[in-house]
Amino acid sequence: MSWQTYVDEHLMCDIEGTGQHLTSAAIFGLDGTVWAQSSKFPQFKPEEMKSIITEFNEAGTLAPTGLFIAGAKYMVIQGEAGAVIRGKKGAGGICIKKTGQAMVMGIYDEPVAPGQCNMVVERLGDYLIDQGM
């Protein structure tokens, strides 16, 4: 299966039969290269991607400054050190799950709930980990 198929069918899917979808989603390599992304995924700045990679390696570095994506600031909320970063911005937010080779990202806005986004992103991340990815 192509990486784009994972984004299109597993991240941008109908969430639990509600008719709701993530706003955008992507899969990046651990070096920050884009493997696949939805059409509306924001364009990362290199320093923003670097800060996410640093957070996975040294948990707690983003909490004081926030997580930035295409200049938009997300407040970092509870996650799992070295495995999951979660951020909140207004009525929306982001979830990033690290696997052995990639980072799975989902961005949401209302009416999608944070837990729904986390479930979609982390389920795919866990599957990829199980597949050795």
mmCIF file of all heavy atoms in Angstrom, residues 13-59:
data_model
loop_
_atom_site.group_PDB
_atom_site.id
_atom_site.type_symbol
_atom_site.label_atom_id
_atom_site.label_comp_id
_atom_site.label_asym_id
_atom_site.label_seq_id
_atom_site.Cartn_x
_atom_site.Cartn_y
_atom_site.Cartn_z
ATOM 1 N N CYS A 13 -10.274 9.487 6.805
ATOM 2 C CA CYS A 13 -11.469 8.648 6.737
ATOM 3 C C CYS A 13 -12.636 9.260 7.511
ATOM 4 O O CYS A 13 -12.466 10.194 8.284
ATOM 5 C CB CYS A 13 -11.148 7.269 7.312
ATOM 6 S SG CYS A 13 -10.608 7.354 9.044
ATOM 7 N N ASP A 14 -13.817 8.697 7.314
ATOM 8 C CA ASP A 14 -14.998 9.043 8.100
ATOM 9 C C ASP A 14 -14.750 8.499 9.509
ATOM 10 O O ASP A 14 -14.513 7.314 9.696
ATOM 11 C CB ASP A 14 -16.229 8.374 7.454
ATOM 12 C CG ASP A 14 -17.522 8.651 8.192
ATOM 13 O OD1 ASP A 14 -17.491 9.081 9.358
ATOM 14 O OD2 ASP A 14 -18.588 8.417 7.593
ATOM 15 N N ILE A 15 -14.777 9.371 10.518
ATOM 16 C CA ILE A 15 -14.463 8.970 11.893
ATOM 17 C C ILE A 15 -15.675 8.323 12.557
ATOM 18 O O ILE A 15 -16.694 8.984 12.751
ATOM 19 C CB ILE A 15 -13.987 10.177 12.717
ATOM 20 C CG1 ILE A 15 -12.718 10.776 12.089
ATOM 21 C CG2 ILE A 15 -13.720 9.766 14.172
ATOM 22 C CD1 ILE A 15 -12.282 12.086 12.710
ATOM 23 N N GLU A 16 -15.554 7.057 12.853
ATOM 24 C CA GLU A 16 -16.581 6.285 13.568
ATOM 25 C C GLU A 16 -17.978 6.433 12.972
ATOM 26 O O GLU A 16 -18.962 6.468 13.694
ATOM 27 C CB GLU A 16 -16.610 6.703 15.052
ATOM 28 C CG GLU A 16 -15.303 6.487 15.782
ATOM 29 C CD GLU A 16 -15.338 7.014 17.209
ATOM 30 O OE1 GLU A 16 -15.783 8.156 17.433
ATOM 31 O OE2 GLU A 16 -14.914 6.262 18.094
ATOM 32 N N GLY A 17 -18.082 6.555 11.655
ATOM 33 C CA GLY A 17 -19.381 6.651 11.002
ATOM 34 C C GLY A 17 -20.137 7.943 11.282
ATOM 35 O O GLY A 17 -21.342 8.012 11.080
ATOM 36 N N THR A 18 -19.422 8.980 11.736
ATOM 37 C CA THR A 18 -20.065 10.252 12.083
ATOM 38 C C THR A 18 -20.166 11.213 10.904
ATOM 39 O O THR A 18 -20.831 12.240 11.005
ATOM 40 C CB THR A 18 -19.272 10.973 13.195
ATOM 41 O OG1 THR A 18 -17.946 11.256 12.702
ATOM 42 C CG2 THR A 18 -19.187 10.146 14.462
ATOM 43 N N GLY A 19 -19.458 10.907 9.815
ATOM 44 C CA GLY A 19 -19.408 11.830 8.688
ATOM 45 C C GLY A 19 -18.389 12.939 8.902
ATOM 46 O O GLY A 19 -18.253 13.836 8.087
ATOM 47 N N GLN A 20 -17.655 12.882 9.998
ATOM 48 C CA GLN A 20 -16.635 13.886 10.299
ATOM 49 C C GLN A 20 -15.269 13.373 9.865
ATOM 50 O O GLN A 20 -15.019 12.177 9.843
ATOM 51 C CB GLN A 20 -16.637 14.203 11.794
ATOM 52 C CG GLN A 20 -17.960 14.768 12.274
ATOM 53 C CD GLN A 20 -18.057 14.791 13.788
ATOM 54 O OE1 GLN A 20 -17.140 14.424 14.498
ATOM 55 N NE2 GLN A 20 -19.210 15.215 14.278
ATOM 56 N N HIS A 21 -14.406 14.324 9.536
ATOM 57 C CA HIS A 21 -13.067 13.988 9.048
ATOM 58 C C HIS A 21 -12.046 14.929 9.666
ATOM 59 O O HIS A 21 -12.388 16.041 10.058
ATOM 60 C CB HIS A 21 -12.987 14.149 7.519
ATOM 61 C CG HIS A 21 -14.000 13.350 6.777
ATOM 62 N ND1 HIS A 21 -13.748 12.078 6.351
ATOM 63 C CD2 HIS A 21 -15.267 13.630 6.399
ATOM 64 C CE1 HIS A 21 -14.824 11.607 5.732
ATOM 65 N NE2 HIS A 21 -15.760 12.539 5.762
ATOM 66 N N LEU A 22 -10.784 14.477 9.703
ATOM 67 C CA LEU A 22 -9.708 15.374 10.090
ATOM 68 C C LEU A 22 -9.641 16.505 9.065
ATOM 69 O O LEU A 22 -10.037 16.331 7.911
ATOM 70 C CB LEU A 22 -8.369 14.633 10.130
ATOM 71 C CG LEU A 22 -8.242 13.497 11.147
ATOM 72 C CD1 LEU A 22 -6.869 12.845 11.026
ATOM 73 C CD2 LEU A 22 -8.491 13.991 12.553
ATOM 74 N N THR A 23 -9.136 17.653 9.477
ATOM 75 C CA THR A 23 -8.968 18.788 8.558
ATOM 76 C C THR A 23 -7.873 18.478 7.546
ATOM 77 O O THR A 23 -8.010 18.754 6.354
ATOM 78 C CB THR A 23 -8.600 20.055 9.355
ATOM 79 O OG1 THR A 23 -9.599 20.257 10.357
ATOM 80 C CG2 THR A 23 -8.506 21.261 8.461
ATOM 81 N N SER A 24 -6.773 17.897 8.033
ATOM 82 C CA SER A 24 -5.666 17.506 7.164
ATOM 83 C C SER A 24 -4.812 16.480 7.889
ATOM 84 O O SER A 24 -4.915 16.323 9.112
ATOM 85 C CB SER A 24 -4.820 18.724 6.758
ATOM 86 O OG SER A 24 -4.314 19.381 7.897
ATOM 87 N N ALA A 25 -3.979 15.785 7.131
ATOM 88 C CA ALA A 25 -3.146 14.727 7.701
ATOM 89 C C ALA A 25 -1.920 14.514 6.830
ATOM 90 O O ALA A 25 -1.918 14.876 5.648
ATOM 91 C CB ALA A 25 -3.947 13.428 7.811
ATOM 92 N N ALA A 26 -0.886 13.923 7.429
ATOM 93 C CA ALA A 26 0.346 13.658 6.685
ATOM 94 C C ALA A 26 1.154 12.573 7.379
ATOM 95 O O ALA A 26 0.950 12.286 8.560
ATOM 96 C CB ALA A 26 1.190 14.930 6.574
ATOM 97 N N ILE A 27 2.067 11.997 6.621
ATOM 98 C CA ILE A 27 3.068 11.081 7.155
ATOM 99 C C ILE A 27 4.427 11.613 6.714
ATOM 100 O O ILE A 27 4.644 11.869 5.525
ATOM 101 C CB ILE A 27 2.860 9.638 6.656
ATOM 102 C CG1 ILE A 27 1.475 9.132 7.068
ATOM 103 C CG2 ILE A 27 3.963 8.719 7.199
ATOM 104 C CD1 ILE A 27 1.113 7.769 6.482
ATOM 105 N N PHE A 28 5.304 11.807 7.692
ATOM 106 C CA PHE A 28 6.656 12.312 7.445
ATOM 107 C C PHE A 28 7.661 11.271 7.891
ATOM 108 O O PHE A 28 7.414 10.531 8.841
ATOM 109 C CB PHE A 28 6.919 13.591 8.266
ATOM 110 C CG PHE A 28 6.195 14.799 7.779
ATOM 111 C CD1 PHE A 28 4.880 15.033 8.137
ATOM 112 C CD2 PHE A 28 6.829 15.717 6.967
ATOM 113 C CE1 PHE A 28 4.204 16.158 7.704
ATOM 114 C CE2 PHE A 28 6.163 16.848 6.523
ATOM 115 C CZ PHE A 28 4.851 17.077 6.891
ATOM 116 N N GLY A 29 8.820 11.261 7.241
ATOM 117 C CA GLY A 29 9.927 10.451 7.725
ATOM 118 C C GLY A 29 10.483 11.088 8.987
ATOM 119 O O GLY A 29 10.232 12.270 9.254
ATOM 120 N N LEU A 30 11.250 10.343 9.765
ATOM 121 C CA LEU A 30 11.827 10.886 10.996
ATOM 122 C C LEU A 30 12.835 11.994 10.725
ATOM 123 O O LEU A 30 13.211 12.722 11.639
ATOM 124 C CB LEU A 30 12.470 9.773 11.832
ATOM 125 C CG LEU A 30 11.499 8.740 12.409
ATOM 126 C CD1 LEU A 30 12.260 7.703 13.223
ATOM 127 C CD2 LEU A 30 10.425 9.409 13.256
ATOM 128 N N ASP A 31 13.252 12.138 9.479
ATOM 129 C CA ASP A 31 14.148 13.241 9.106
ATOM 130 C C ASP A 31 13.368 14.475 8.646
ATOM 131 O O ASP A 31 13.962 15.478 8.260
ATOM 132 C CB ASP A 31 15.119 12.792 8.010
ATOM 133 C CG ASP A 31 14.403 12.371 6.727
ATOM 134 O OD1 ASP A 31 13.146 12.361 6.698
ATOM 135 O OD2 ASP A 31 15.109 12.044 5.757
ATOM 136 N N GLY A 32 12.036 14.391 8.670
ATOM 137 C CA GLY A 32 11.216 15.535 8.291
ATOM 138 C C GLY A 32 10.782 15.563 6.838
ATOM 139 O O GLY A 32 10.076 16.485 6.430
ATOM 140 N N THR A 33 11.161 14.564 6.048
ATOM 141 C CA THR A 33 10.738 14.546 4.646
ATOM 142 C C THR A 33 9.279 14.086 4.541
ATOM 143 O O THR A 33 8.834 13.231 5.304
ATOM 144 C CB THR A 33 11.615 13.595 3.796
ATOM 145 O OG1 THR A 33 11.571 12.293 4.375
ATOM 146 C CG2 THR A 33 13.047 14.092 3.731
ATOM 147 N N VAL A 34 8.556 14.670 3.605
ATOM 148 C CA VAL A 34 7.151 14.327 3.395
ATOM 149 C C VAL A 34 7.065 12.993 2.657
ATOM 150 O O VAL A 34 7.634 12.825 1.593
ATOM 151 C CB VAL A 34 6.442 15.406 2.538
ATOM 152 C CG1 VAL A 34 4.992 15.020 2.300
ATOM 153 C CG2 VAL A 34 6.530 16.767 3.192
ATOM 154 N N TRP A 35 6.331 12.050 3.247
ATOM 155 C CA TRP A 35 6.066 10.781 2.569
ATOM 156 C C TRP A 35 4.725 10.850 1.846
ATOM 157 O O TRP A 35 4.583 10.338 0.748
ATOM 158 C CB TRP A 35 6.062 9.632 3.563
ATOM 159 C CG TRP A 35 7.425 9.275 4.100
ATOM 160 C CD1 TRP A 35 8.603 9.940 3.895
ATOM 161 C CD2 TRP A 35 7.754 8.164 4.933
ATOM 162 N NE1 TRP A 35 9.627 9.316 4.557
ATOM 163 C CE2 TRP A 35 9.134 8.216 5.198
ATOM 164 C CE3 TRP A 35 7.004 7.139 5.481
ATOM 165 C CZ2 TRP A 35 9.787 7.272 5.996
ATOM 166 C CZ3 TRP A 35 7.647 6.197 6.275
ATOM 167 C CH2 TRP A 35 9.033 6.260 6.517
ATOM 168 N N ALA A 36 3.743 11.477 2.479
ATOM 169 C CA ALA A 36 2.415 11.640 1.880
ATOM 170 C C ALA A 36 1.662 12.657 2.720
ATOM 171 O O ALA A 36 1.906 12.791 3.919
ATOM 172 C CB ALA A 36 1.652 10.314 1.862
ATOM 173 N N GLN A 37 0.728 13.376 2.076
ATOM 174 C CA GLN A 37 -0.066 14.353 2.819
ATOM 175 C C GLN A 37 -1.377 14.624 2.104
ATOM 176 O O GLN A 37 -1.486 14.423 0.901
ATOM 177 C CB GLN A 37 0.711 15.646 3.040
ATOM 178 C CG GLN A 37 1.079 16.388 1.766
ATOM 179 C CD GLN A 37 1.976 17.583 2.054
ATOM 180 O OE1 GLN A 37 2.556 17.709 3.110
ATOM 181 N NE2 GLN A 37 2.088 18.473 1.084
ATOM 182 N N SER A 38 -2.350 15.089 2.888
ATOM 183 C CA SER A 38 -3.623 15.490 2.299
ATOM 184 C C SER A 38 -3.437 16.832 1.605
ATOM 185 O O SER A 38 -2.462 17.546 1.851
ATOM 186 C CB SER A 38 -4.702 15.581 3.383
ATOM 187 O OG SER A 38 -4.372 16.577 4.325
ATOM 188 N N SER A 39 -4.378 17.174 0.742
ATOM 189 C CA SER A 39 -4.230 18.383 -0.073
ATOM 190 C C SER A 39 -4.165 19.669 0.744
ATOM 191 O O SER A 39 -3.508 20.620 0.351
ATOM 192 C CB SER A 39 -5.369 18.472 -1.093
ATOM 193 O OG SER A 39 -6.609 18.532 -0.409
ATOM 194 N N LYS A 40 -4.809 19.700 1.920
ATOM 195 C CA LYS A 40 -4.848 20.931 2.719
ATOM 196 C C LYS A 40 -3.836 20.948 3.862
ATOM 197 O O LYS A 40 -3.895 21.821 4.717
ATOM 198 C CB LYS A 40 -6.257 21.133 3.294
ATOM 199 C CG LYS A 40 -7.300 21.369 2.232
ATOM 200 C CD LYS A 40 -8.659 21.578 2.842
ATOM 201 C CE LYS A 40 -9.696 21.761 1.742
ATOM 202 N NZ LYS A 40 -11.053 21.775 2.267
ATOM 203 N N PHE A 41 -2.896 20.004 3.871
ATOM 204 C CA PHE A 41 -1.929 19.986 4.967
ATOM 205 C C PHE A 41 -1.035 21.217 4.878
ATOM 206 O O PHE A 41 -0.521 21.548 3.819
ATOM 207 C CB PHE A 41 -1.072 18.713 4.939
ATOM 208 C CG PHE A 41 -0.361 18.469 6.230
ATOM 209 C CD1 PHE A 41 -1.021 17.861 7.288
ATOM 210 C CD2 PHE A 41 0.942 18.881 6.418
ATOM 211 C CE1 PHE A 41 -0.387 17.648 8.511
ATOM 212 C CE2 PHE A 41 1.583 18.681 7.624
ATOM 213 C CZ PHE A 41 0.916 18.064 8.670
ATOM 214 N N PRO A 42 -0.848 21.944 6.004
ATOM 215 C CA PRO A 42 -0.046 23.178 5.967
ATOM 216 C C PRO A 42 1.418 22.909 5.648
ATOM 217 O O PRO A 42 1.946 21.839 5.943
ATOM 218 C CB PRO A 42 -0.196 23.744 7.382
ATOM 219 C CG PRO A 42 -0.725 22.651 8.220
ATOM 220 C CD PRO A 42 -1.383 21.647 7.326
ATOM 221 N N GLN A 43 2.048 23.903 5.064
ATOM 222 C CA GLN A 43 3.459 23.800 4.678
ATOM 223 C C GLN A 43 4.341 24.100 5.887
ATOM 224 O O GLN A 43 4.378 25.231 6.363
ATOM 225 C CB GLN A 43 3.753 24.791 3.538
ATOM 226 C CG GLN A 43 5.141 24.666 2.958
ATOM 227 C CD GLN A 43 5.390 23.318 2.309
ATOM 228 O OE1 GLN A 43 4.579 22.848 1.523
ATOM 229 N NE2 GLN A 43 6.496 22.698 2.629
ATOM 230 N N PHE A 44 5.036 23.086 6.383
ATOM 231 C CA PHE A 44 5.936 23.251 7.518
ATOM 232 C C PHE A 44 7.123 24.116 7.142
ATOM 233 O O PHE A 44 7.621 24.048 6.017
ATOM 234 C CB PHE A 44 6.510 21.893 7.936
ATOM 235 C CG PHE A 44 5.736 21.190 8.988
ATOM 236 C CD1 PHE A 44 4.793 20.238 8.653
ATOM 237 C CD2 PHE A 44 5.964 21.464 10.329
ATOM 238 C CE1 PHE A 44 4.091 19.564 9.633
ATOM 239 C CE2 PHE A 44 5.262 20.789 11.320
ATOM 240 C CZ PHE A 44 4.329 19.839 10.972
ATOM 241 N N LYS A 45 7.620 24.877 8.102
ATOM 242 C CA LYS A 45 8.905 25.555 7.953
ATOM 243 C C LYS A 45 9.958 24.586 8.505
ATOM 244 O O LYS A 45 9.675 23.837 9.448
ATOM 245 C CB LYS A 45 8.909 26.857 8.752
ATOM 246 C CG LYS A 45 7.896 27.855 8.251
ATOM 247 C CD LYS A 45 7.862 29.087 9.131
ATOM 248 C CE LYS A 45 6.801 30.049 8.617
ATOM 249 N NZ LYS A 45 6.540 31.131 9.565
ATOM 250 N N PRO A 46 11.164 24.573 7.951
ATOM 251 C CA PRO A 46 12.189 23.614 8.416
ATOM 252 C C PRO A 46 12.423 23.666 9.928
ATOM 253 O O PRO A 46 12.568 22.623 10.572
ATOM 254 C CB PRO A 46 13.442 24.031 7.652
ATOM 255 C CG PRO A 46 12.926 24.711 6.425
ATOM 256 C CD PRO A 46 11.642 25.377 6.830
ATOM 257 N N GLU A 47 12.435 24.857 10.530
ATOM 258 C CA GLU A 47 12.690 24.956 11.969
ATOM 259 C C GLU A 47 11.525 24.379 12.785
ATOM 260 O O GLU A 47 11.724 23.883 13.890
ATOM 261 C CB GLU A 47 12.985 26.403 12.390
ATOM 262 C CG GLU A 47 11.864 27.388 12.150
ATOM 263 C CD GLU A 47 11.851 28.056 10.775
ATOM 264 O OE1 GLU A 47 12.514 27.560 9.835
ATOM 265 O OE2 GLU A 47 11.158 29.072 10.641
ATOM 266 N N GLU A 48 10.310 24.418 12.222
ATOM 267 C CA GLU A 48 9.160 23.825 12.915
ATOM 268 C C GLU A 48 9.284 22.302 12.961
ATOM 269 O O GLU A 48 9.037 21.684 13.996
ATOM 270 C CB GLU A 48 7.854 24.231 12.222
ATOM 271 C CG GLU A 48 7.568 25.718 12.309
ATOM 272 C CD GLU A 48 6.413 26.173 11.447
ATOM 273 O OE1 GLU A 48 6.046 25.471 10.476
ATOM 274 O OE2 GLU A 48 5.861 27.246 11.727
ATOM 275 N N MET A 49 9.687 21.721 11.855
ATOM 276 C CA MET A 49 9.870 20.268 11.806
ATOM 277 C C MET A 49 11.020 19.864 12.731
ATOM 278 O O MET A 49 10.923 18.874 13.456
ATOM 279 C CB MET A 49 10.137 19.803 10.375
ATOM 280 C CG MET A 49 10.309 18.306 10.258
ATOM 281 S SD MET A 49 8.917 17.318 10.871
ATOM 282 C CE MET A 49 7.702 17.645 9.625
ATOM 283 N N LYS A 50 12.075 20.657 12.741
ATOM 284 C CA LYS A 50 13.223 20.366 13.601
ATOM 285 C C LYS A 50 12.791 20.353 15.074
ATOM 286 O O LYS A 50 13.215 19.490 15.844
ATOM 287 C CB LYS A 50 14.330 21.394 13.369
ATOM 288 C CG LYS A 50 15.600 21.106 14.130
ATOM 289 C CD LYS A 50 16.694 22.096 13.731
ATOM 290 C CE LYS A 50 18.001 21.718 14.369
ATOM 291 N NZ LYS A 50 18.299 22.422 15.583
ATOM 292 N N SER A 51 11.924 21.283 15.467
ATOM 293 C CA SER A 51 11.490 21.341 16.870
ATOM 294 C C SER A 51 10.639 20.119 17.242
ATOM 295 O O SER A 51 10.696 19.646 18.376
ATOM 296 C CB SER A 51 10.739 22.646 17.156
ATOM 297 O OG SER A 51 9.484 22.662 16.523
ATOM 298 N N ILE A 52 9.862 19.596 16.300
ATOM 299 C CA ILE A 52 9.071 18.388 16.554
ATOM 300 C C ILE A 52 9.996 17.179 16.735
ATOM 301 O O ILE A 52 9.832 16.393 17.665
ATOM 302 C CB ILE A 52 8.055 18.141 15.418
ATOM 303 C CG1 ILE A 52 6.969 19.224 15.469
ATOM 304 C CG2 ILE A 52 7.443 16.742 15.513
ATOM 305 C CD1 ILE A 52 6.065 19.240 14.261
ATOM 306 N N ILE A 53 10.980 17.062 15.866
ATOM 307 C CA ILE A 53 11.946 15.962 15.968
ATOM 308 C C ILE A 53 12.685 16.051 17.305
ATOM 309 O O ILE A 53 12.873 15.039 17.995
ATOM 310 C CB ILE A 53 12.920 15.992 14.769
ATOM 311 C CG1 ILE A 53 12.147 15.683 13.470
ATOM 312 C CG2 ILE A 53 14.077 15.008 14.971
ATOM 313 C CD1 ILE A 53 12.905 15.982 12.194
ATOM 314 N N THR A 54 13.073 17.268 17.705
ATOM 315 C CA THR A 54 13.756 17.470 18.993
ATOM 316 C C THR A 54 12.862 17.054 20.145
ATOM 317 O O THR A 54 13.311 16.411 21.098
ATOM 318 C CB THR A 54 14.191 18.936 19.150
ATOM 319 O OG1 THR A 54 15.088 19.268 18.093
ATOM 320 C CG2 THR A 54 14.880 19.181 20.490
ATOM 321 N N GLU A 55 11.564 17.393 20.085
ATOM 322 C CA GLU A 55 10.624 17.041 21.152
ATOM 323 C C GLU A 55 10.546 15.523 21.324
ATOM 324 O O GLU A 55 10.497 15.034 22.450
ATOM 325 C CB GLU A 55 9.234 17.607 20.849
ATOM 326 C CG GLU A 55 8.161 17.172 21.826
ATOM 327 C CD GLU A 55 8.292 17.720 23.238
ATOM 328 O OE1 GLU A 55 8.974 18.738 23.438
ATOM 329 O OE2 GLU A 55 7.713 17.123 24.158
ATOM 330 N N PHE A 56 10.548 14.778 20.226
ATOM 331 C CA PHE A 56 10.494 13.320 20.351
ATOM 332 C C PHE A 56 11.766 12.772 21.000
ATOM 333 O O PHE A 56 11.724 11.801 21.738
ATOM 334 C CB PHE A 56 10.250 12.649 18.997
ATOM 335 C CG PHE A 56 8.804 12.637 18.595
ATOM 336 C CD1 PHE A 56 8.398 13.199 17.395
ATOM 337 C CD2 PHE A 56 7.836 12.074 19.408
ATOM 338 C CE1 PHE A 56 7.069 13.186 17.019
ATOM 339 C CE2 PHE A 56 6.495 12.054 19.046
ATOM 340 C CZ PHE A 56 6.115 12.620 17.842
ATOM 341 N N ASN A 57 12.892 13.420 20.733
ATOM 342 C CA ASN A 57 14.165 12.957 21.295
ATOM 343 C C ASN A 57 14.412 13.474 22.709
ATOM 344 O O ASN A 57 15.122 12.841 23.487
ATOM 345 C CB ASN A 57 15.325 13.360 20.381
ATOM 346 C CG ASN A 57 15.252 12.669 19.035
ATOM 347 O OD1 ASN A 57 14.791 11.541 18.937
ATOM 348 N ND2 ASN A 57 15.676 13.349 17.991
ATOM 349 N N GLU A 58 13.873 14.661 23.030
ATOM 350 C CA GLU A 58 14.062 15.296 24.343
ATOM 351 C C GLU A 58 12.722 15.841 24.795
ATOM 352 O O GLU A 58 12.459 17.045 24.664
ATOM 353 C CB GLU A 58 15.078 16.437 24.237
ATOM 354 C CG GLU A 58 16.438 16.040 23.696
ATOM 355 C CD GLU A 58 17.275 17.264 23.332
ATOM 356 O OE1 GLU A 58 17.200 18.284 24.044
ATOM 357 O OE2 GLU A 58 17.990 17.200 22.326
ATOM 358 N N ALA A 59 11.867 14.977 25.328
ATOM 359 C CA ALA A 59 10.510 15.373 25.720
ATOM 360 C C ALA A 59 10.520 16.578 26.652
ATOM 361 O O ALA A 59 11.342 16.675 27.550
ATOM 362 C CB ALA A 59 9.802 14.201 26.380
#
